[in-house]
C-alpha cells in the first residue's frame, strides 16, 4: 500500500513539474549585426558576426524568466554571405530540434540584410507548426542603445507564445512581428527598417507577450510540399536587374552558364528591355525557367499583363519580390520543370 502511495505521489509530482515546466527554446546563432562589434559605441564602422551565442544569451539575463534557454552557433557571418548550403543546414537543424529533440520553438539570430530571404526559405522548408522566429539588430552589440537584446527578448517571447504557433516563420524586430512572405528590409540603417508591405505587420510584442493582428493566408511550414532533407544543393537560379537601356550581358551569362532558372527584377509590372526580353525567350525555349518579378518595392507582378506569359511560358512572381521569387523557384525546380505547375506554386506559397 505504502509503495502505491509513493508511486502515486511521484507520478503527481512529475506531472505537476511537467505542467509547470518552462517551454524549451533553442537559439541558433548565425551572426549579423546583433553579434557585431563596433570600433567605438558611437561609430558606424563595425564588423558583423564577432560575438558568440553565449554572449548573446548573457546580454539578456531576463531570458530564463520566459523559457528554458539553450543555444548553438551554426555559423558566424554577416548575412550578405548567407548561402544555399547554410540554408540547407539551418532547415535540417530546425527540423531536428522541433521534430526529434522536442524543443517547443526556435529563435534564429541573423543579419538583417538577407533576413527576409532566410525567413522565406525556412517558411517553405520547416516541417512543424511550432514557432520559428528570426531576430537581429541594426546596431552592433556594443553600440549606445543596441537594439539586439530587446529584439532577442521579444523573439523568445514570441517563440513561447501559443499565438505564434501555426502561422509560419516570423521576424521579430523593433517590437513588431512580420511574416516571412511579406517582410522586407526597407531602410539601409534605421532600426525601424522592416515592413510587411501592403498587408503590414502581423503582430507585435508588448510587455513580453505576443499579440497577433492577422494570420497569413499562403501555404507554409507544416503545409508546404517542399522537402530539402535529402538535398546537398539547390538548383541554380540567378537574378537579373532591369533598368532603361539594360545590357543583355548578365542574362546571357546566366543562360550560357547553364543556370536552371532566372528571375527578372523587371521595371514596373515585371517588364524588361527588348534585348533582355529576346534572350529570356530563348532561355525559356532551352529549358531555363524565367520568372518575371519587379524592382518596384510594392505591388504584384501580374500574370499575363503587358507580357503574355502564357505565350512564352514565363511565370509571374505575383506577390513575391525578386529575392523571394528566387527561393520559391529554386524549391519549385526540385519538384517540377513544368511552367504551369511552377505558376501554381507562386499562387499558393
Ligand atoms: N551586413 C550585416 C548582416 O546582414 C549587417 C546588417 C545587420 O545585421 O543589420 O549581417
Amino acid at each position: 500500500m505504502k509503495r502505491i502511495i509513493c508511486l502515486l505521489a511521484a507520478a503527481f509530482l512529475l506531472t505537476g513539474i511537467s505542467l509547470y515546466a518552462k517551454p524549451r527554446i533553442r537559439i541558433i546563432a548565425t551572426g549579423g549585426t546583433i553579434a557585431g562589434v563596433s570600433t567605438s559605441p558611437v561609430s558606424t564602422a563595425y564588423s558583423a558576426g564577432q560575438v558568440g551565442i553565449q554572449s548573446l544569451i548573457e546580454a539578456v539575463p531576463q531570458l530564463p524568466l520566459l523559457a528554458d534557454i539553450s543555444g548553438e552557433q551554426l555559423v558566424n557571418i554577416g548575412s550578405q554571405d548567407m548561402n544555399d548550403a547554410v540554408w540547407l543546414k539551418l532547415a535540417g537543424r530546425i527540423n531536428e530540434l522541433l521534430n526529434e529533440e522536442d524543443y517547443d520553438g526556435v529563435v534564429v539570430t541573423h543579419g538583417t540584410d538577407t533576413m527576409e530571404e532566410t525567413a522565406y526559405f525556412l517558411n517553405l522548408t520547416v516541417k512543424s507548426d511550432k514557432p520559428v522566429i528570426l531576430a537581429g539588430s541594426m546596431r552592433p552589440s556594443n553600440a549606445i542603445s543596441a537594439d539586439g537584446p530587446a529584439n532577442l527578448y521579444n523573439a523568445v517571447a514570441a517563440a513561447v507564445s501559443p499565438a505564434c504557433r501555426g502561422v509560419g516563420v516570423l521576424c521579430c524586430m523593433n517590437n513588431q512581428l512580420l511574416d516571412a512572405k511579406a517582410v522586407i528590409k526597407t531602410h539601409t540603417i534605421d532600426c525601424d527598417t522592416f515592413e510587411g508591405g501592403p498587408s503590414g505587420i502581423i503582430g507585435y510584442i508588448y510587455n513580453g507577450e505576443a499579440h497577433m493582428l492577422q494570420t497569413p493566408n499562403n501555404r507554409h511550414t507544416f503545409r508546404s510540399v517542399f522537402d530539402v532533407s535529402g538535398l546537398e544543393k539547390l538548383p541554380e537560379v540567378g537574378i537579373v536587374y532591369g533598368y532603361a537601356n539594360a545590357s543583355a550581358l548578365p542574362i546571357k551569362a546566366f543562360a550560357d552558364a547553364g543556370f536552371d532558372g532566372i528571375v527578372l527584377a523587371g521595371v514596373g509590372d515585371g517588364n524588361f528591355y527588348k534585348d533582355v526580353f529576346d534572350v529570356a525567350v530563348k532561355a525559356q525555349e532551352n529549358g531555363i525557367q524565367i520568372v518575371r518579378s519587379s524592382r518596384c518595392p510594392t505591388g504584384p507582378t501580374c500574370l499575363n499583363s503587358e507580357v503574355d506569359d502564357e505565350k512564352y511560358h514565363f511565370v509571374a512572381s505575383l506577390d513575391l519580390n525578386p529575392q523571394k521569387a528566387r527561393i520559391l523557384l529554386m524549391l519549385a525546380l526540385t519538384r517540377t520543370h513544368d511552367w504551369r505547375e511552377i505558376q501554381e506554386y507562386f499562387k499558393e506559397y
Side-chain angles (χ1 to χ4, degrees), residues 82-91 117-118 121 326-327:
M82 188 50 67
N83 58 36
D84 301 357
V86 177
W87 280 341
L88 290 174
K89 210 165 139 187
L90 183 59
E117 286 165 71
T118 300
F121 180 78
R326 174 180 172 268
I327 289 166

Side-chain angles (χ1 to χ4, degrees), residues 135-201:
S137 76
M138 291 299 285
R139 297 186 182 133
S141 60
N142 61 334
I144 296 177
S145 291
D147 50 333
N151 288 341
L152 184 58
Y153 178 82
N154 285 343
V156 172
V160 300
S161 169
C164 294
R165 214 175 159 129
V167 294
V169 174
L170 302 176
C171 294
C172 182
M173 295 285 294
N174 207 30
N175 299 334
Q176 297 178 340
L177 293 167
L178 301 113
D179 95 86
K181 180 169 182 178
V183 63
I184 38 174
K185 184 175 183 178
T186 63
H187 197 283
T188 49
I189 51 176
D190 274 0
C191 286
D192 187 17
T193 180
F194 283 97
E195 283 178 21
S199 52
I201 66 168

Side-chain angles (χ1 to χ4, degrees), residues 32-33 46 48 77-80 111-113 137-138 185:
T33 299
Y46 75 98
I77 56 177
S79 71
Q80 61 270 39
T112 58
D113 289 355
S137 76
M138 291 299 285
K185 184 175 183 178

Side-chain angles (χ1 to χ4, degrees), residues 29-295:
T30 69
T33 299
I34 191 167
V37 176
S38 152
T39 44
S40 98
V42 288
S43 165
T44 52
Y46 75 98
S47 307
Q50 302 295 305
V51 165
I53 177 66
Q54 230 23 64
S55 311
L56 291 185
I57 292 176
E58 280 161 18
V60 194
Q62 299 79 2
L63 289 181
L65 299 173
L66 295 172
D68 173 359
I69 292 285
S70 60
E72 64 189 68
Q73 191 82 44
L74 189 82
V75 285
N76 208 351
I77 56 177
S79 71
Q80 61 270 39
D81 289 327
M82 188 50 67
N83 58 36
D84 301 357
V86 177
W87 280 341
L88 290 174
K89 210 165 139 187
L90 183 59
R93 186 65 189 124
I94 294 174
N95 281 323
E96 249 170 40
L97 289 164
L98 298 180
N99 297 324
E100 289 165 33
E101 298 182 29
D102 217 25
Y103 279 86
D104 296 297
V106 170
V107 169
V108 178
T109 59
H110 198 288
T112 58
D113 289 355
T114 61
M115 184 185 282
E116 64 186 86
E117 286 165 71
T118 300
Y120 189 57
F121 180 78
L122 296 175
N123 206 39
L124 301 180
T125 56
V126 165
K127 303 284 172 208
S128 171
D129 68 344
K130 293 177 185 174
V132 175
I133 317 289
L134 276 75
S137 76
M138 291 299 285
R139 297 186 182 133
S141 60
N142 61 334
I144 296 177
S145 291
D147 50 333
N151 288 341
L152 184 58
Y153 178 82
N154 285 343
V156 172
V160 300
S161 169
C164 294
R165 214 175 159 129
V167 294
V169 174
L170 302 176
C171 294
C172 182
M173 295 285 294
N174 207 30
N175 299 334
Q176 297 178 340
L177 293 167
L178 301 113
D179 95 86
K181 180 169 182 178
V183 63
I184 38 174
K185 184 175 183 178
T186 63
H187 197 283
T188 49
I189 51 176
D190 274 0
C191 286
D192 187 17
T193 180
F194 283 97
E195 283 178 21
S199 52
I201 66 168
I202 194 167
Y204 60 94
I205 303 282
Y206 186 67
N207 274 346
E209 272 179 37
H211 303 268
M212 300 306 276
L213 302 170
Q214 46 180 326
T215 44
N217 53 15
N218 55 295
R219 271 175 90 149
H220 56 74
T221 54
F222 61 106
R223 291 212 181 87
S224 166
V225 294
F226 302 111
D227 182 1
V228 292
S229 56
L231 297 183
E232 274 169 20
K233 64 197 275 284
L234 293 168
E236 278 192 297
V237 174
I239 300 176
V240 170
Y241 202 82
Y243 53 97
N245 202 42
S247 165
L249 282 178
I251 188 166
K252 271 194 193 131
F254 283 135
D256 291 347
F259 270 46
D260 304 289
I262 297 169
V263 174
L264 298 162
V267 292
D269 191 1
N271 295 309
F272 35 101
Y273 194 63
K274 53 191 169 49
D275 297 4
V276 178
F277 188 89
D278 292 344
V279 182
V281 171
K282 278 203 199 86
Q284 181 71 50
E285 281 167 5
N286 292 332
I288 300 171
Q289 183 60 56
I290 301 292
V291 172
R292 292 188 309 106
S293 186
S294 176
R295 69 176 192 177

